Amino acid sequence: MAHALIVGAGAIGRGYLPWELSSFALTFLDSSDRLVSSLGAGGYSSFMAKSDGLEALVVDRAVFTADVSDLDLGGFDVAFVCVGPRNLSRLSPALGRLTCPVFSLENDSATVDELKRILGKEDIYFGVPDVITSSTASPDSLIRDPNALHTEQGVLYLEDGPAVSPSLKAALPNVHWCDKARMVREWDAKLFIHNTPHCIAAFFGHLHGCTYVHEALAIESVEMCLDGVIDEVLQTLKITTVHDHSFLEWYAAKELSRFRNTLLYDPVSRVAREPLRKMAPDGRLLGILRMALGAGIWPESLAAGFVAGLQYSAPHDQDARIMSCVEHSGVEAFLRFVLKVDPRSVEGQLIARAYASRRAPHG
Amino acid sequence: MASIINQIAFTVCRLLHDSPPDRAAILDIKNGEPRDVVTELDGSIHEAVGSLASELIPGAIFLSEEQENQTLSLLSDRPVVVLDPIDGSQNLSLGLPFSSCLIAIIERGEVTSSAVVSADASRLMLYDRGWLWSNFDRVEVDGAKPTYLAYGPLSNEAERSALRCAWETCDSLSSGVYRWGSAAAGLQALVNGQLQSFVGIRLRVWDFLAFLPFLNHEGVSVALSIDRDRGSIIACRDAAELGAHLDALAAVGERLTRLEPGASLSEVL
């Protein structure tokens, strides 16, 4: 039986990957002693939302550890890293002794080079789990299993590289193996067509007091804005990239229905988390907004979504200390000092005007 | 709810951003000393931070460069808010880069929170009881780098001798001596990895106190001497360089005390 190491037992790591790795013996490495102890006590369940309801996968034979020295680093056939981009620097360099290929599933292709530097290892590749996986589960599922997670049925795209053996591919029959060019296409699509409206949905959800993303989609004004966001992103990518238009349109068409899935129980707090990271210059918010302006698209809905993000300061979020300061500095100074956006630039003025005209949500 | 230091720092961000150019004009030259200029912006920041400090930290002592007749009490049982509204006011008045607002909150001899807000570079550094945030990435450069040398008004031959000694030592141990008209700019560049060390002779304490937590976080070795509102500071990435500076200055009668991480300012006062 093949062995897989999953670094990070969060949403993607324990909620989604076991479905793709059903023929593998699994080992999870996570920094949380509390979580590892809880999972090790009896495993957990992942629930996949299908058209006719939830299907359960019980993961009760995996190994869970918080200590990299417990691992036989030469004994894995594949490893996946899904700890969150900000947590990469805390990975143990000892993982560099893994003899198998490693896939970064961190939503940012730059993490591949970062992992190569941290681990001193070259056979590290990019992967895109095109899936929405919650960090929690329905109240009913949680009563039965406090470590349960819900996920949709996704698609895993992995970069094909020299270290990827035919036997590994055979052990992962549902994975879409792609060359680098196609990976970039899939990632562009995912980042901007999926992640951009997804986080904006969560920001609006927060403003409207929603717990789950699907609740935000039930609000007409939010749905209208998201339609606008997806349209602006789609038009921008059609103009600024050479990606196949029918592929882009196919991808865009299914987004809102994914967000509306009432079986996912995907928390607003997970999807909206770390807004400063999401507002990085080339990221899912500023990046596409600037691309839109460059393409001659007036990104009104994207700007409204960005402003919703500026108002996200959930108390337990890692970025709350900074996000709670927008009112103290004013939006222009915040753009300048925190987001490094020149308030005099076109995008700066667009955001500042959208912020000035924002209205408090009604109910 | 934003923390106290964040509320103060972001209010300063707003003031710096909203300030029209004429607020950089010189209003006063203190004590006839040409380097000690005061701009309208200095006054505005002084008023705003003083007002916020009294509102957010009732009973705190407010120690600002722009305050007359103040009594220094860094070791008070009451919180002390130390402010340099603009370090580098002369640069600001001349339209040159390198000017920053520096805020430090001291409780029982420890800098528990601080902020550095750089007007020209739009840099922001925040520290609050172990939490640290900045909006710029550290520069990774190998090899010898320059040293920033700063000094305040020198009033006697002993101080001038210390400066001459410091200059020669800096020159011999680094790739060059840099001066930009702002101690804060030099300390930012040290924290940022662009300089290897900072030597400050007879500065005002508000020029450097805000940087202590950031220097500690970067593993920079620090030595201080503080006498009322003035102090000398040497901060080096290489502890051996710090030792060389301390030995050289001790030979001319200038003694500084190494500040261990987490140590109280009472050890150097």
Side-chain angles (χ1 to χ4, degrees):
Chain A
M1 178 180 259
H3 279 80
L5 172 66
I6 299 174
V7 183
I12 293 292
R14 82 176 192 272
Y16 171 64
L17 281 180
W19 293 90
E20 298 291 344
L21 301 171
S22 54
S23 64
F24 284 71
L26 300 179
T27 297
F28 290 86
L29 174 68
D30 193 280
S31 61
S32 168
D33 287 318
R34 184 200 59 76
L35 177 64
V36 161
S37 175
S38 177
L39 293 171
Y44 71 95
S45 296
S46 171
F47 294 92
M48 182 172 282
K50 299 206 166 162
S51 54
D52 54 352
L54 292 172
E55 179 181 334
L57 173 68
V58 178
V59 181
D60 57 1
R61 294 190 187 175
V63 172
F64 301 93
T65 182
D67 188 349
V68 69
S69 63
D70 288 343
L71 305 177
D72 171 16
L73 295 170
F76 296 103
D77 298 281
V78 68
F80 297 92
V81 174
C82 35
V83 298
R86 284 183 177 174
N87 297 320
L88 287 181
S89 59
R90 303 203 319 236
L91 287 177
S92 168
L95 290 170
R97 296 199 302 271
L98 284 165
T99 55
C100 63
V102 175
F103 291 91
S104 169
L105 305 184
E106 299 295 356
N107 237 359
D108 182 352
S109 63
T111 57
V112 171
D113 286 337
E114 187 178 352
L115 274 174
K116 286 181 178 178
R117 183 182 54 77
I118 292 170
L119 302 184
K121 189 174 157 58
E122 276 307 304
D123 52 344
I124 298 179
Y125 304 100
F126 191 44
V128 176
D130 190 6
V131 68
I132 297 175
T133 305
S134 174
S135 54
T136 185
S138 66
D140 284 346
S141 297
L142 289 174
I143 287 172
R144 284 178 276 161
D145 175 5
N147 293 318
L149 297 175
H150 283 204
T151 182
E152 67 175 354
Q153 194 167 6
V155 178
L156 182 59
Y157 297 89
L158 295 181
E159 182 184 347
D160 197 355
V164 180
S165 65
S167 60
L168 179 60
K169 289 183 188 177
L172 294 166
N174 296 321
V175 164
H176 292 225
W177 296 96
C178 314
D179 61 31
K180 196 132 192 178
R182 187 172 167 204
M183 283 301 305
V184 171
R185 185 183 79 181
E186 304 297 344
W187 184 55
D188 264 356
K190 181 177 188 291
L191 183 69
F192 295 126
I193 300 179
H194 171 73
N195 289 89
T196 299
H198 201 203
C199 70
I200 289 175
F203 293 149
F204 280 120
H206 169 74
L207 288 174
H208 286 269
C210 304
T211 302
Y212 303 111
V213 172
H214 67 257
E215 294 170 341
L217 270 290
I219 300 168
E220 188 180 346
S221 61
V222 174
E223 189 175 4
M224 276 180 58
C225 183
L226 291 175
D227 267 332
V229 167
I230 291 173
D231 187 55
E232 288 165 10
V233 169
L234 192 56
Q235 296 312 311
T236 300
L237 291 181
K238 283 181 176 179
I239 293 170
T240 60
T241 73
V242 296
H243 302 333
D244 180 75
H245 287 193
S246 53
F247 165 77
L248 294 175
E249 287 164 6
W250 165 80
Y251 199 97
K254 55 188 176 67
E255 282 308 293
L256 290 191
S257 63
R258 295 174 72 187
F259 303 163
R260 275 192 213 103
N261 190 337
T262 58
L263 294 178
L264 279 181
Y265 288 90
D266 200 9
V268 161
S269 59
R270 183 193 79 82
V271 182
R273 70 185 174 196
E274 301 169 14
L276 289 179
R277 176 171 57 84
K278 295 173 162 72
M279 291 173 179
D282 296 329
R284 71 196 73 182
L285 292 170
L286 263 180
I288 189 65
L289 190 141
R290 284 172 168 155
M291 284 168 65
L293 287 167
I297 306 290
W298 189 247
E300 188 174 343
S301 299
L302 280 166
F306 192 97
V307 165
L310 285 175
Q311 299 171 78
Y312 184 77
S313 61
H316 300 296
D317 190 89
Q318 223 181 88
D319 293 343
R321 288 199 201 220
I322 298 296
M323 298 308 296
S324 59
C325 297
V326 177
E327 287 295 308
H328 292 288
S329 65
V331 68
E332 288 193 2
F334 193 88
L335 286 173
R336 174 181 161 189
F337 281 93
V338 177
L339 299 179
K340 297 295 207 175
V341 173
D342 184 347
R344 298 163 302 180
S345 65
V346 174
E347 65 267 26
Q349 291 181 55
L350 172 64
I351 293 167
R353 266 188 241 130
Y355 189 85
S357 62
R358 76 198 183 284
R359 289 195 211 96
H362 299 287
Chain B
M1 175 77 163
S3 67
I4 290 173
I5 191 65
N6 281 12
Q7 289 187 59
I8 295 174
F10 278 85
T11 299
V12 171
C13 288
R14 181 199 288 266
L15 285 169
L16 287 173
H17 177 73
D18 290 348
S19 241
D22 59 4
R23 297 194 101 191
I26 297 175
L27 284 184
D28 187 22
I29 295 176
K30 290 187 291 189
N31 307 314
E33 180 59 58
R35 74 181 74 210
D36 275 343
V37 303
V38 181
T39 66
E40 190 179 326
L41 189 54
D42 283 276
S44 302
I45 294 176
H46 166 85
E47 290 296 329
V49 174
S51 174
L52 265 179
S54 69
E55 174 195 336
L56 299 174
I57 319 173
I61 298 169
F62 181 49
L63 177 65
S64 165
E65 184 179 30
E66 304 314 325
Q67 195 149 291
E68 301 280 341
N69 303 319
Q70 54 197 338
T71 305
L72 191 73
S73 46
L74 291 180
L75 299 182
S76 169
D77 283 341
R78 295 156 60 192
V80 183
V81 179
V82 182
L83 171 72
D84 188 349
I86 297 287
D87 179 81
S89 297
Q90 186 166 211
N91 286 339
L92 187 73
S93 68
L94 294 170
L96 291 169
F98 307 126
S99 55
S100 305
C101 174
L102 312 175
I103 309 134
I105 299 177
I106 299 171
E107 296 173 88
R108 290 186 167 60
E110 183 192 347
V111 180
T112 54
S113 50
S114 67
V116 176
V117 188
S118 156
D120 57 290
S122 298
R123 279 191 181 154
L124 179 58
M125 300 164 63
L126 300 166
Y127 173 81
D128 190 13
R129 299 172 203 276
W131 172 82
L132 194 142
W133 186 90
S134 70
N135 67 349
F136 54 91
D137 292 329
R138 204 165 164 288
V139 170
E140 301 287 346
V141 176
D142 293 329
K145 284 173 270 190
T147 293
Y148 193 93
L149 177 62
Y151 55 93
L154 305 175
S155 56
N156 57 54
E157 180 52 32
E159 293 177 351
R160 286 188 282 273
S161 172
L163 174 62
R164 284 192 294 270
C165 172
W167 193 294
E168 286 170 9
T169 313
C170 289
D171 211 26
S172 68
L173 294 177
S174 72
S175 67
V177 177
Y178 277 25
R179 282 181 53 75
W180 298 323
S182 164
L187 284 163
Q188 283 176 61
L190 174 60
V191 170
N192 193 27
Q194 292 166 313
L195 299 179
Q196 69 179 42
S197 52
F198 176 96
V199 174
I201 303 295
R202 291 287 186 271
L203 303 178
R204 305 289 189 191
V205 294
W206 41 74
D207 289 338
F208 59 81
L209 284 176
F211 284 93
L212 293 182
F214 303 103
L215 294 170
N216 179 34
H217 182 261
E218 282 290 313
V220 173
S221 301
V222 175
L224 293 176
S225 69
I226 296 179
D227 179 17
R228 288 177 291 177
D229 67 340
R230 302 187 77 193
S232 296
I233 175 172
I234 303 174
C236 305
R237 288 195 169 272
D238 181 351
E241 183 187 347
L242 177 66
H245 276 290
L246 292 178
D247 289 344
L249 285 172
V252 295
E254 183 77 11
R255 296 190 192 283
L256 286 78
T257 304
R258 285 183 194 254
L259 189 69
E260 298 303 324
S264 167
L265 290 173
S266 62
E267 302 192 19
V268 298
L269 279 164

